[in-house]
Amino acid sequence: MPSADPQTWITTDKGRTGVLFWDWQLPKQELSNRPFFTRVLPAQAARSAEVRFRGLARGSYRLTVRRTGFKANDAHTRYLEMGSPASLSRTQLTELQSLTSDAPEKNMTVRIGSDGNYVLRVPMRSNDVVLALLEPVKPVRGK
């Protein structure tokens, strides 16, 4: 679907709408890539994102929001904090794997009214990548 924001991809299929958006900020880098990207690089606060869904059918929708960024689905930063070991212990590997579980930071039901609109506001940090998925909830029948 078209978007005026160059840092956004939008898709829809069978009532489901996915919006992928990010806050790419070119880092101030005075070193070559290897020394620069082998140190912990904390994120900075950025302008919040606002996603406006329009033309939705009235009803209940499942909203999930997933994020990748500094210390969010981010095993790389923890690996650096461990001292970048050449080989990982079983405990270290388990810890790193647990940091990339991709659990949603938001998983909730929202009601869409007769106007068909919903606004999602998401706090952002530098270089975060966020996926918001809005999908109709199918009613449970027979109970």
Side-chain angles (χ1 to χ4, degrees):
M1 296 186 69
S3 171
D5 185 342
Q7 296 193 107
T8 304
W9 285 348
I10 305 168
T11 186
T12 187
D13 182 45
K14 297 178 184 164
R16 299 174 64 195
T17 302
V19 182
L20 180 69
F21 51 99
W22 56 93
D23 184 273
W24 163 249
Q25 295 184 19
L26 185 63
K28 292 180 180 148
Q29 181 178 346
E30 297 172 6
L31 305 169
S32 68
N33 280 350
R34 182 170 294 273
F36 184 80
F37 287 107
T38 55
R39 63 183 182 162
V40 174
L41 301 169
Q44 305 301 314
R47 194 177 85 205
S48 292
E50 185 172 276
V51 180
R52 295 174 182 262
F53 296 89
R54 293 190 178 125
L56 299 169
R58 182 180 191 158
S60 295
Y61 287 74
R62 170 68 47 200
L63 172 68
T64 55
V65 177
R66 290 180 164 81
R67 178 186 310 266
T68 298
F70 181 70
K71 296 203 175 188
N73 280 308
D74 174 20
H76 180 70
T77 296
R78 183 65 189 116
Y79 172 75
L80 294 175
E81 292 170 343
M82 290 175 175
S84 305
S87 60
L88 298 169
S89 70
R90 185 175 303 272
T91 302
Q92 289 171 318
L93 180 60
T94 299
E95 179 183 357
L96 293 177
Q97 288 172 331
S98 74
L99 294 174
T100 59
S101 66
D102 196 31
E105 67 181 43
K106 190 175 283 198
N107 185 0
M108 58 191 274
T109 301
V110 297
R111 286 279 307 149
I112 305 302
S114 59
D115 67 357
N117 297 330
Y118 180 73
V119 177
L120 171 65
R121 289 177 185 86
V122 180
M124 296 293 289
R125 301 170 306 165
S126 57
N127 302 311
D128 277 354
V129 178
V130 175
L131 174 63
L133 180 61
L134 192 64
E135 53 191 326
V137 174
K138 302 215 185 313
V140 178
R141 306 235 184 228
K143 285 194 177 186

